[in-house]
Amino acid sequence: MSVQTRLAVLVADYKDAFAAGDLDLQLEIKLAAYDHDRANPDSPRAMDAIRFVDRGVKARTAQAA
């Protein structure tokens, strides 16, 4: 699997876990993203993409309230 594909899968899986409220899966994906970043230091950072998703979802949730 290419680095970009792995990053896209991690982000999509994280969005699904966040939407389902599955904290265990969210943590598992964050750890996988961390491992991905350590193994591929010259590629785009997976944790940055996960944090971006976190901020976007939390901002939309705050606006809806």
Side-chain angles (χ1 to χ4, degrees), residues 5-37:
T5 303
R6 179 70 179 138
L7 180 60
V9 168
L10 285 171
V11 170
D13 288 348
Y14 185 77
K15 285 180 180 180
D16 291 343
F18 193 91
D22 188 342
L23 296 177
D24 290 335
L25 185 54
Q26 289 177 39
L27 178 59
E28 184 179 328
I29 293 167
K30 285 184 176 184
L31 291 173
Y34 176 79
D35 289 342
H36 173 82
D37 290 346

Side-chain angles (χ1 to χ4, degrees), residues 7-8 10-12 14-15 33 37 44-56:
L7 180 60
L10 285 171
V11 170
Y14 185 77
K15 285 180 180 180
D37 290 346
R45 293 187 36 132
M47 278 304 297
D48 288 345
I50 298 292
R51 285 186 198 106
F52 183 76
V53 170
D54 263 345
R55 280 189 227 122

